[in-house]
Each structure stands twice: as C-alpha cells, then as structure tokens.
C-alpha cells in the first residue's frame, strides 16, 4: 500500500501572498496569478484558453458542446495550478456568455465541483469593473471606456478617478458577424439605435475612448505593425480617428498569412478583427469621441482595484511598481527614495516629470546584477518594456535615457529613444542619470552617506557638501562623476566640507 502513495513534496510558502482570478469570458477563459504591491501587483502567471463560449449564442441561445468541453478542461487545469502555486485567494468570475446562455448553469455547476465559487457578474457589474480597471492603469483617465468582450460591449464614463454612468450592450465580437450579415449598414444602425435609446449619443464628444479587450488590442498591434511603431507596448497606445478607417481598408486587403505573422496577434483573434474594427468606427462616430487609446487593464484589474482602500487607490501605480521592482532587483531597498530626495534640489521638475525621475531613482539599481558591459542596455530595456502603467511612450523613453546614463551608457542617446521623445526631455533625463550616478558612487549604494550630504547649484557651481567625517568618501571616482555632472550643467564642481 505504501508504494502506491505519493510522498508529499516539501514546498516553502511564498514570500508574499498570491491571489488569482479565473475569468470565464465569452471568448476566452483565463487564469491570472498576482503577487506583490497591492496597488499594482506583478503578474506571476497568465494563461488563456480560447473556449469561444459565446460563439453560438446569437443562433442557439446556448453554449455549444465544444465550448463547454474546452471551458471545463481549462477550469480543471486552472484550479489545479492555483493549488500548486499556493494561491491564498482565488476569485472566479463569469460574464456575458454564461450570464445569457440557457445552459450557462452547466458550466457553473462544473466549476463548483472543482471547488470554484463562481461570481456571475451582471452587465452593470462587468462595466463597473472594466472602468475601474482603466482607472487603475490610467488614473487621470477622462472619457468613455469601451470593453469589448465576446458577448457584450460595456460603455463606462470615467472622470476624476471614479466611474459614473455605465451601460451594457449585446454587441460582443462573437455576435457582430450575424448583425453585419443583415446588410451593409446593419451594424451601424444597430449601434446608433442602442446608443441613442440609452441616452449615450454624443456622450464622448471631445473625449478619448479607452479600448479594452483582446480584439481591440489586436487591432492596435496591427496599427503598430503598419506604422513601424518603435515601442512594442500596447498600453496607452493611441489610435487616431482617421486611422480606424485606414485599418478597416487594410483588413480588406491584407493576406491572412501576413496577419498571422504579426507578433502578438493571436490567430484566434484574426477572424473577428474586421467586425471589431467596424464596431469601433461606429461607436466612435455616435459617441463623438476625439480618438482612442488602448488600456491593457480591464475587468480583472478592476476587480483588484475595487478591493483597495481609498488610500491605496491614491498611490501612484508607476511609483508602486518601480519600488517593488527595485526591491526585487536592487541591492539596497531604501536607496531609491533617498537618492531621489538627494538629487531633487538640482532640478525644478514639474510634477509629471518629477514622478518619472522618482521612478528612475527607484529603478537605478536594476542593472547591477547584469554583465557589467550590458548594464546600461539592461536598464533601458526594463524602462521601455517593463510592465509599467500611468506612463506614456515619451515617459518610458525619458525613464530609459535616465537609466541608460546612470548605469554607464554615457551621454549618448540610443536611436530608439530619439524616435519616442524630444531632445529637451532626453537631455533632462541624462542630467538625472548623471546625478544618480554621482549619488550611487558617493554612497556605495547605501542611504546613510546621502542623508548626511547634499548637492546644490550655487553661483555658477555645482556644490557637493560633506560632513568632515565623510570627507574620505570623496575619492577619485566620486570626483570624476562630480566633474561630469557639473560639466553637464555648465558649472564648476565645488566640494564643501
């Protein structure tokens, strides 16, 4: 008997609590596992299965047998993975397809047999969560959120950090083909009537439309590919009104093989891209939106955001994520905040730039464990491609320049950064990088020496003031970096003891 038993594996408990969400959507079933700072936890695991639960809804009103089978298998795997990953809290939510299907209860029952407690979200709850997700990743968002799922389209008005009005329409991407088959302008007429009848006509006038959902993210990937956009990050990627029409035309001409070759466009999304694009054009027209911007954050992130305290919601998500990454990758956890306070007297930065400087200081040590010859490149890569939010492409380039300079890349600017930001912003970032570089060398990366010293611009000089007991810290390498920073400011270096 003993030989039939499996010896339990000894596993250390995770250092930080992990939580996870299983999202049973109309198009896909997905598991995302999170760990880290409450304001912006890091994604440890992300997997989806394109179950297509809503594919047959418009014809039969039910989830087809194939969709149920794929969803059951996905839920079984995801429940097992959550146990193995020692997830402390697992939420399972279901949206339009399960809500509307005549046999949606079958899938809920199957999930319950696996130990999963399914929350069946109403259309309004789904919209609310999507809006909160956008606010989590774009705190200053002021416009209309459009969350396009397989079974429904949610519209949400977000402003001043909160959700106001919201509405749900049966315009999921898996329903659009049947609507368009009714005639050339059938979809536009349906959208116009739904928006008008709900009182949303013109509600987006002059405001951006925030795009949520895999189909619209795929559309953004297509636009990035067509325009040779230099930053492969979809979050906060803008799509101008005129580009939507261009993309509609491109989708009538581009071979499927070429579409499949575009990075990060799922093959399962390709058949619905023309429908999703036609819907976007119609919604933008009837809302009166000024343009659109992609949000990589939506329902799942909104569910997490809803559970935060008001104080946690007010945290800057860029700073929270940068601090968490600095603690994971750096040598001295407290160093980033201290060095930002140390270099701040040298700069009169507006708040929107000061926060990026702060993020650079928090991330200043992330390249330390890389090969010395590639530390600058490592810092730039983290800045450009890190999972940051509340920062646009220009901000990423400025952050990257600062880290590139602080980690030994010199005063040059990599070509990719010049395509994303103006020279004045990059020059400012180089100064940040040189100042960080001086502070790190002076202190050896620890906080105490910086707390006992300060730098200032005084009468044509860049003065570094040390206490007498710290004079020995001003070695040859520190003097060299002091001179480099002073020269960049057009000042003379002065040591004050």
């Amino acid at each position: 008997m003993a030989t039939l038993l499996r010896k339990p594996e000894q596993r250390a408990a995770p250092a930080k609590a992990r939580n996870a969400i299983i999202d049973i959507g109309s198009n896909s079933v997905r598991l995302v596992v999170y760990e880290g700072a409450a304001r912006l936890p890091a994604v440890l695991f992300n997997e989806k299965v394109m179950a297509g639960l809503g594919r047959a809804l418009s014809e039969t009103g039910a989830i087809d047998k194939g969709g149920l089978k794929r969803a059951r298998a996905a839920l079984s795997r995801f429940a097992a993975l959550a146990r193995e990953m020692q997830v402390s809290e697992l939420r399972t939510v279901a949206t339009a397809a399960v809500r509307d299907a005549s046999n949606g209860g079958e899938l809920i029952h199957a999930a319950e047999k696996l130990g999963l407690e399914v929350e069946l979200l109403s259309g309004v709850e789904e919209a609310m969560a999507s809006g909160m997700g956008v606010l989590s990743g774009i705190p200053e968002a002021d416009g209309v959120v459009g969350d396009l799922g397989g079974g429904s389209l949610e519209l949400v008005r977000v402003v001043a950090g909160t959700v106001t009005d919201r509405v749900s329409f049966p315009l999921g991407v898996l329903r659009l083909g049947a609507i368009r088959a009714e005639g050339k302008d059938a979809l536009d007429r349906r959208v116009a009537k739904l928006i008008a009848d709900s009182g949303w006509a013109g509600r987006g006038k002059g405001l951006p439309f925030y795009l949520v959902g895999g189909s619209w993210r795929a559309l953004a990937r297509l636009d990035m590919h067509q325009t040779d956009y230099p930053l492969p990050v979809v979050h906060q990627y803008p799509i101008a009104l005129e580009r939507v029409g261009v993309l509609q035309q491109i989708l009538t001409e581009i071979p499927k093989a070429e579409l499949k070759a575009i990075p990060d466009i799922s093959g399962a999304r390709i058949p619905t891209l023309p429908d999703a694009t036609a819907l976007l054009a119609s919604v933008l027209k009837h809302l009166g939106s000024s343009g659109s911007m992609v949000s990589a954050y939506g329902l799942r992130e909104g569910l997490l955001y809803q559970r935060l305290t008001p104080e946690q919601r007010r945290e800057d998500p860029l700073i929270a994520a940068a601090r968490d990454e600095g603690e994971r990758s750096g040598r001295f956890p407290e160093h980033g905040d201290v060095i930002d306070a140390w270099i701040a007297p040298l700069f009169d930065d507006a708040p929107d730039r000061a926060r990026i400087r702060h993020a650079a200081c928090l991330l200043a040590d992330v390249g330390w464990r890389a090969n010395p010859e590639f530390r600058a490149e490592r810092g730039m890569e983290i800045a450009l491609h890190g999972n940051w939010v509340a920062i646009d492409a220009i901000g990423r380039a400025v952050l990257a320049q600062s880290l590139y300079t602080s980690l030994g890349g010199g005063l040059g600017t990599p070509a990719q950064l010049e395509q994303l930001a103006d020279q004045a912003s990059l020059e400012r970032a180089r100064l940040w990088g040189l100042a960080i570089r001086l502070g790190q060398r002076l202190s050896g990366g620890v906080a105490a020496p910086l707390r006992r010293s300060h730098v200032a611009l005084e009468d044509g000089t860049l003065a570094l003031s040390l206490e007498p007991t710290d004079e020995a810290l001003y070695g040859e390498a520190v003097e060299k970096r002091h001179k480099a920073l002073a020269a960049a400011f057009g000042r003379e270096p002065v040591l004050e003891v």
Side-chain angles (χ1 to χ4, degrees):
M1 176 68 72
T3 58
L4 298 178
L5 299 176
R6 184 180 68 175
K7 184 178 180 180
E9 297 179 9
Q10 185 176 5
R11 296 178 295 173
K16 295 184 178 181
R18 295 172 181 168
N19 54 44
I21 293 176
I22 295 177
D23 178 5
I24 306 172
S26 300
N27 212 9
S28 64
V29 180
R30 186 187 294 265
L31 167 68
V32 186
V33 181
Y34 303 91
E35 179 184 272
R39 178 60 183 87
L40 200 77
V43 174
L44 287 186
F45 183 81
N46 188 337
E47 181 175 306
K48 70 178 177 183
V49 173
M50 300 299 287
L53 297 180
R55 187 171 291 120
L57 272 181
S58 59
E59 291 84 21
T60 68
I63 301 169
D64 63 35
K65 291 182 179 180
L68 283 173
K69 182 179 179 179
R70 288 187 292 272
R72 286 194 190 102
L75 291 174
S76 181
R77 169 174 163 77
F78 292 164
L81 282 175
R83 289 192 298 271
E84 293 294 331
M85 293 182 185
Q86 298 177 271
V87 168
S88 58
E89 181 183 7
L90 174 61
R91 293 183 70 184
T92 303
V93 299
T95 56
V98 178
R99 185 172 67 237
D100 297 341
S102 60
N103 58 346
E106 291 184 34
L107 189 57
I108 292 177
H109 180 64
E112 289 173 344
K113 289 176 68 176
L114 294 168
L116 302 173
E117 184 178 340
V118 180
E119 301 173 46
L120 187 59
L121 301 181
S122 68
V124 171
E125 288 172 330
E126 190 175 346
M128 184 75 171
S130 298
M132 285 293 191
V134 170
L135 289 171
S136 176
I138 311 174
E140 74 283 2
D142 179 7
V144 177
V145 173
D147 185 354
L148 177 61
S152 61
L153 169 68
E154 277 67 51
L155 297 184
V156 188
R157 178 72 169 99
V158 291
V159 61
T162 191
V163 169
T164 56
D165 300 329
R166 58 265 191 193
V167 66
S168 181
F169 298 136
L171 292 172
V173 71
L174 297 179
R175 302 179 192 257
L176 300 180
I179 297 173
R180 296 184 78 194
E182 296 173 6
K184 181 180 178 182
D185 297 320
L187 178 60
D188 187 61
R189 290 194 300 270
R190 182 78 61 88
V191 170
K193 178 172 173 47
L194 286 169
I195 287 179
D197 289 351
S198 62
W200 277 74
R203 290 286 302 276
K205 186 175 182 180
L207 297 171
F209 185 70
Y210 298 97
L211 305 173
V212 176
S215 295
W216 280 340
R217 285 196 300 273
L219 182 65
R221 293 287 182 193
L222 171 62
D223 193 49
M224 294 165 84
H225 177 75
Q226 292 292 319
T227 58
D228 293 320
Y229 190 65
L231 182 65
V233 174
V234 74
H235 185 65
Q236 292 190 235
Y237 177 77
I239 303 178
L241 285 175
E242 60 270 17
R243 285 297 300 173
V244 178
V246 172
L247 290 168
Q248 283 185 283
Q249 184 62 36
I250 288 172
L251 285 166
T252 66
E253 302 169 351
I254 190 169
K256 286 189 177 180
E258 186 176 338
L259 266 178
K260 289 180 179 179
I262 297 174
D264 298 318
I265 293 185
S266 167
R269 300 286 185 191
I270 290 174
T272 61
L273 266 180
D275 293 338
T277 310
L279 176 65
L280 177 59
S282 184
V283 170
L284 291 174
K285 177 174 73 174
H286 295 293
L287 288 178
S289 302
S290 61
S292 56
M293 174 181 289
V294 178
S295 171
Y297 277 33
L299 182 142
R300 292 178 297 276
E301 293 76 19
L303 293 173
L304 295 176
Y305 189 65
Q306 284 175 316
R307 292 196 167 189
L308 298 180
T309 66
E311 184 177 357
Q312 288 173 320
R313 290 184 188 181
R314 287 193 293 270
E315 288 182 36
D316 186 328
L318 173 64
I319 300 305
R323 181 174 288 116
D324 187 59
E325 180 63 29
E327 290 175 356
R328 291 170 184 268
S329 305
R331 297 167 292 170
F332 308 104
E334 79 282 8
H335 188 58
D337 291 301
V338 175
I339 204 166
D340 181 57
W342 192 76
I343 71 172
L346 300 177
F347 303 101
D348 183 22
D349 292 318
D352 62 330
R353 280 291 179 256
R355 60 188 292 271
I356 297 176
R357 187 193 70 220
H358 189 184
C361 292
L362 292 167
L363 295 170
D365 225 19
V366 294
W368 184 259
R369 301 181 196 279
N371 184 297
E373 296 181 16
F374 296 97
R375 285 175 182 161
E377 288 77 7
R378 173 66 174 155
M380 183 174 78
E381 192 276 332
I382 288 173
L384 286 178
H385 304 140
N387 191 27
W388 317 121
V389 298
I391 184 171
D392 60 12
I394 296 173
R396 284 176 181 263
V398 168
L399 182 60
Q401 177 70 72
S402 180
L403 294 181
Y404 182 81
T405 300
S406 70
L407 289 165
L411 296 178
T413 297
Q416 184 180 8
L417 305 187
E418 292 182 329
Q419 297 177 60
L420 294 169
D422 60 275
Q423 284 299 317
S425 296
L426 294 172
E427 174 59 32
R428 190 67 159 183
R430 280 191 288 270
L431 292 175
W432 295 346
L434 289 172
I436 293 169
R437 194 166 168 79
L438 171 60
Q440 285 187 315
R441 181 57 62 184
L442 172 69
S443 66
V446 296
L450 296 180
R451 291 194 173 106
R452 297 193 301 266
S453 63
H454 64 271
V455 287
L457 299 174
E458 300 174 351
D459 300 325
T461 68
L462 195 152
L464 169 58
S465 300
L466 301 176
E467 293 186 0
T469 53
D470 288 334
E471 187 173 5
L473 294 176
Y474 195 77
E476 181 180 337
V478 176
E479 182 181 8
K480 182 178 179 181
R481 294 189 182 184
H482 186 190
K483 288 181 177 178
L485 179 60
F489 271 100
R491 308 280 183 124
E492 289 295 321
V494 170
L495 174 64
E496 297 176 348
V497 181

